[in-house]
Amino acid sequence: MAKSGRIHNVEDYRGLAHKRLPRAVMDFIEGGAEDEITISRNKKGFENIHIIPRILTDVSVRDISTTILGTPVSSPIVLCPVGLATLAHPLGEVAAGIAAANKGIISTYSSSSSWNLEDIAAASSGVKWFQLYIWKDRKLTAEIIERARKSGYQALVLTVDVPISARRERDLRNGFTIPPRPRVNQIGDLLQHFGWFYAQLKSEITGHKMSMGNFTPENVGMRTRLKMLEVVNELFDPSITWSDVAWLKSIWDGPIVIKGVMTPEDAKLAIKAGADAIWISNHGGRQLDGVSGTIEVLPEIANAVKGKAEIYLDGGVRRGSDIVKAIALGANACMIGRPYMYGLAANGAAGVESIISILEIEMDATMALMGRPTIASLDSSSVRINMK
Ligand SMILES: Cc1cc2nc3c(=O)[nH]c(=O)nc-3n(C[C@H](O)[C@H](O)[C@H](O)COP(=O)(O)O)c2cc1C
């Protein structure tokens, strides 16, 4: 748990991150596409679900552990792939991996991670999934998959909601680049966040350099990392279709999770294509603005999937009770993105661990108070949907 007695929930950690990070970095983490309507729908969707409490049921023995794709885990919380995590803390994905392993949960690492996938694997003894983009260059894609296999990543999470990278206007206004190249009018803000600036500078000079670790001058032909973001944005392939999932299955024999499913139709197609799990996501509102909140589409997708694949959900999960609601409506696990970035920014690996603990404590309390003491005891009769 956090050092200060005033830090009790994810929102408190958001406040700490806000103090620690320069404006442009906080905007990069917080921001979404265009008007950020979907970001607020993700959060609002949970508010519209009412928990139905049952009384006088023995809740003295409670258990939030479960299994995800056959892996026993201490709770149904998984860390989302979040690119460029060193912006929050120089140890970035390495710190997240250590925290996930200590907490006994699964963590997913982005193709656009700051640390390379081998370094992350070496640092974390936990169960790791690799998030894949199918790049225009299939040879590069296949090479990265092979590296992930060799490094012991147990599942591939194929993100399918980025045919192109979306317009995130906060980043456009801030002139966000990797590595950051502050404008003159941002220097004052940087100096106000000197702790962050100093840690990044130290890491840049003596340790890990701000970059996207899986890409090198050799594999993407990049002569200078100053243009990294532009080069990587050019790699996204707007032509991918279900036939590319078949290609993926032909070169990867482990589980495949499809991340970015938002409709029952696509959930069925994903199962037909051989996906082991459906990851309901709108990329935390960072891609297509105007789509529904993820929890709003969960019931219809669960109804279509009919237990043929596991179902995961991310987007706006900020309380343990949100996870309880999603499980009641048919999810096997919930994934968190921004919440653990707040923990990372505030206090590195210990901050990430604290965020996971907070959500687990909240889950346990919610389940005790509603009279459903185990994951298996949660079902659709535990909640009422009150969509407005
Ligand atoms: C800063 C940031 C970077 C992200 N990078 C990736 C990425 O590289 N690949 C990916 O599949 N999703 C990425 N996501 C989306 C997350 O995996 C996840 O879908 C989203 O954050 C969930 O919503 P939440 O932040 O409200 O928990 C990113 C999200 C954030 C906030």
Side-chain angles (χ1 to χ4, degrees), residues 80-81 83 110 131 133 159 259 281 283-284 286 314 316 318 337-338:
C80 284
S110 167
Q131 178 267 318
Y133 289 118
T159 297
K259 175 175 184 277
S281 176
H283 221 102
R286 295 167 75 81
D314 74 24
R318 300 294 179 268
R338 295 178 184 91

Side-chain angles (χ1 to χ4, degrees), residues 28-31 42 80-84 110-113 131 133 157 159 161-162 259 279 281-286 314-318 335-339 341:
F28 169 70
I29 294 169
E30 290 283 81
N42 277 346
C80 284
V82 168
L84 295 167
S110 167
S111 278
S112 316
S113 55
Q131 178 267 318
Y133 289 118
V157 174
T159 297
D161 54 9
V162 192
K259 175 175 184 277
W279 184 324
S281 176
N282 50 37
H283 221 102
R286 295 167 75 81
D314 74 24
V317 173
R318 300 294 179 268
M335 286 41 180
I336 53 166
R338 295 178 184 91
M341 292 298 277

Side-chain angles (χ1 to χ4, degrees), residues 95-165:
I98 292 169
N102 287 347
K103 291 295 301 174
I105 66 163
I106 297 171
S107 182
T108 317
Y109 301 92
S110 167
S111 278
S112 316
S113 55
S114 319
W115 287 77
N116 69 42
L117 64 91
E118 288 84 2
D119 286 345
I120 299 167
S124 171
S125 58
V127 173
K128 292 166 282 289
W129 292 355
F130 185 75
Q131 178 267 318
L132 182 81
Y133 289 118
I134 296 185
W135 304 114
K136 276 179 195 154
D137 180 345
R138 297 293 193 272
K139 189 168 155 276
L140 168 69
T141 312
E143 273 167 21
I144 291 180
I145 293 171
E146 183 52 20
R147 286 169 56 192
R149 193 190 59 74
K150 273 199 189 135
S151 301
Y153 289 77
Q154 293 190 4
L156 275 190
V157 174
L158 175 65
T159 297
V160 290
D161 54 9
V162 192
I164 58 168
S165 59

